[in-house]
């Protein structure tokens, strides 16, 4: 099957492959800029931009960590990342992934608009008021992430009523995806929640609102998987884990190596202060947390609302901002390494261009 382009709002995505936003610092300028340059959709993660370029955009550090949401989600760092990605991809479509659960969500969405981003993708919560924050930027396309037809219906209903607008596309994320899930642990295991069984009902719901393109995510690994999603009615796919295996991926080499070294059984769901299970690789940190011997929890960066200033972090045994940032800095002892269930398949680091060729031509 030859892959067809599709549109997200006014933006034409030449190759229907969206690179999933990955924080902290995994999909920044290098990865997102190059994916867009190669005709896919590059997605910059807005998480932890205060860590960009050795924290030079963080106005205030405490214990070498960005203090509070204003520094953790540094406006200047975010703008520098977007500007740098633009020098790589020119005027090709470029997106930002901004989690609904973050403190400062509205401000970060506005920062993205002001910095010239074309498309905003939001998950981790139902973004029922997302259009509110892009007022004045009618060309910025809005893409929520959902895990069920019901969630899409709620969003469409609210957006149409309140803002007279509908999503420009929707990402449907199944439980094989890396990072946070849109399901409880038990729901992740149910057959009806597997991506291949969710695509058709979500496409059906999307059609009721005027053919909103559906982008399927979670466990998509190769051209065969992409073809399968397209045959079920998806217009595109979103892939995260496989893009970690690229030279241009902004992650530390140690993070890439953790995935390359991982075995199938090392990848598992774990509790997270965000309130939903997260998929990642079992590492030293997992052992420490299980023994309640993890690094101390201080809530310096005040990153996500559901954590309630460290209350949930203490409950699950780790601070998500600090542990993901440690992974970004390559710390194998205390880093948290997210991965989709297929992460163990990663066995080489290649260029984005090579990967895009493999994915589109099936070689
Ligand atoms: C290391 C890692 C970090 C991620 N971080 C985020 C994030 O910050 N925001 C988000 O919406 N999704 C995040 N995701 C999910 C991806 O954007 C993507 O939807 C998912 O990885 C797709 O599944 P796959 O990894 O099997 O391809 C992350 C995934 C990984 C592997």
């Amino acid at each position: 099957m030859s892959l067809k382009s599709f549109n997200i709002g006014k933006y034409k995505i030449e190759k229907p492959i969206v690179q999933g936003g990955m924080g902290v610092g995994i999909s920044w300028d290098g990865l997102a800029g190059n994916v867009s340059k190669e005709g896919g959709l590059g997605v910059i993660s807005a998480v932890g931009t205060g860590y960009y370029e050795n924290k030079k955009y963080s106005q205030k550090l405490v214990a070498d960590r960005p203090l509070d949401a204003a520094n953790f989600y540094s406006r200047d760092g975010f703008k520098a990342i977007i500007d740098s990605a633009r020098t790589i991809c020119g005027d090709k479509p470029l997106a930002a992934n901004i989690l609904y659960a973050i403190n400062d969500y509205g401000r970060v969405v506005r920062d993205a608009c002001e910095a010239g981003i074309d498309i905003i993708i939001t998950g981790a919560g139902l973004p029922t008021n997302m259009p509110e924050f892009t007022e004045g930027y009618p060309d910025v396309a809005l893409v929520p992430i959902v895990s069920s037809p019901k969630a899409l219906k709620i969003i469409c209903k609210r957006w149409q009523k309140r803002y007279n607008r509908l999503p420009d596309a929707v990402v449907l994320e199944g439980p094989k995806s890396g990072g946070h899930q849109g399901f409880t642990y038990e729901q992740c295991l149910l057959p009806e929640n597997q991506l291949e069984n969710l695509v058709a009902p979500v496409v059906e719901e999307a059609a009721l609102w005027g053919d909103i393109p559906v982008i399927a995510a979670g466990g998509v690994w190769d051209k065969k998987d992409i073809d399968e999603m397209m045959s079920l009615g998806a217009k595109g796919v979103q892939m995260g884990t496989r893009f970690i295996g690229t030279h241009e991926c902004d992650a530390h080499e140690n993070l890439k190596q953790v995935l390359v070294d991982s075995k199938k059984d090392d990848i598992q769901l774990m509790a997270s202060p965000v309130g939903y299970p997260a998929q990642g690789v079992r590492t030293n940190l997992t052992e420490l947390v299980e023994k309640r011997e993890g690094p101390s929890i201080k809530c310096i960066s005040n990153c996500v609302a559901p954590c309630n200033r460290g209350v949930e972090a203490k409950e699950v045994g780790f601070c998500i901002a600090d542990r993901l940032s440690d992974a970004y800095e390559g710390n194998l002892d205390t880093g948290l390494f997210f991965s989709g269930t297929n992460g163990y398949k990663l066995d080489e680091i290649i260029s984005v261009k090579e990967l895009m060729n493999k994915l589109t031509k099936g070689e």
Side-chain angles (χ1 to χ4, degrees), residues 67-98:
L67 177 67
D68 233 315
N71 289 302
F72 187 66
Y73 302 102
S74 158
R75 175 183 320 217
D76 294 344
F78 195 19
K79 181 168 179 353
I81 293 167
I82 295 172
D83 288 351
S84 168
R86 275 281 174 228
T87 63
I88 300 170
C89 69
D91 60 4
K92 296 208 173 176
L94 183 66
N97 177 292
I98 307 175

Side-chain angles (χ1 to χ4, degrees), residues 20-23 26 97 99 173 176-178 218-219 238-241 338:
M22 293 179 281
I26 300 171
N97 177 292
L99 299 174
E173 206 167 49
K176 286 186 175 157
S177 58
Q238 174 170 287
M239 300 174 61
T241 305
F338 282 164

Side-chain angles (χ1 to χ4, degrees), residues 93-112:
L94 183 66
N97 177 292
I98 307 175
L99 299 174
Y100 196 57
I102 68 171
N103 285 321
D104 278 8
Y105 175 76
R107 190 265 295 169
V108 177
V109 169
R110 289 206 72 79
D111 291 347

Side-chain angles (χ1 to χ4, degrees), residues 326-362:
D326 281 1
Y328 169 66
E329 293 184 331
N331 188 329
L332 295 170
D333 290 330
T334 56
L336 173 60
F337 299 85
F338 282 164
S339 167
T341 57
N342 281 333
Y344 72 95
K345 292 184 182 172
L346 200 70
D347 56 6
E348 56 176 357
I349 311 291
I350 57 179
S351 70
V352 167
K353 193 184 180 73
E354 280 175 275
L355 179 54
M356 290 298 284
N357 272 334
K358 277 183 192 245
L359 295 174
T360 50
K361 297 186 183 137

Side-chain angles (χ1 to χ4, degrees), residues 11 32 69 74 101 128 143 163 166 182-183 213 230 239 245-247 283-284 303 335-337 347 360:
Y11 306 99
S74 158
T128 49
V143 182
Y163 311 104
L166 289 168
F183 307 97
M230 301 307 197
M239 300 174 61
T246 60
H247 300 301
T283 55
N284 187 56
C303 68
L336 173 60
F337 299 85
D347 56 6
T360 50

Side-chain angles (χ1 to χ4, degrees), residues 32-99:
N34 279 287
V35 172
S36 284
K37 181 183 170 200
E38 295 303 327
L41 179 63
V43 183
I44 291 170
S45 161
V47 180
T49 50
Y51 277 87
Y52 184 59
E53 291 192 332
N54 205 17
K55 307 179 195 118
K56 84 173 188 199
Y57 296 98
S58 255
Q59 308 291 336
K60 190 150 190 217
L61 302 173
V62 168
D64 211 27
R65 306 220 176 255
L67 177 67
D68 233 315
N71 289 302
F72 187 66
Y73 302 102
S74 158
R75 175 183 320 217
D76 294 344
F78 195 19
K79 181 168 179 353
I81 293 167
I82 295 172
D83 288 351
S84 168
R86 275 281 174 228
T87 63
I88 300 170
C89 69
D91 60 4
K92 296 208 173 176
L94 183 66
N97 177 292
I98 307 175
L99 299 174

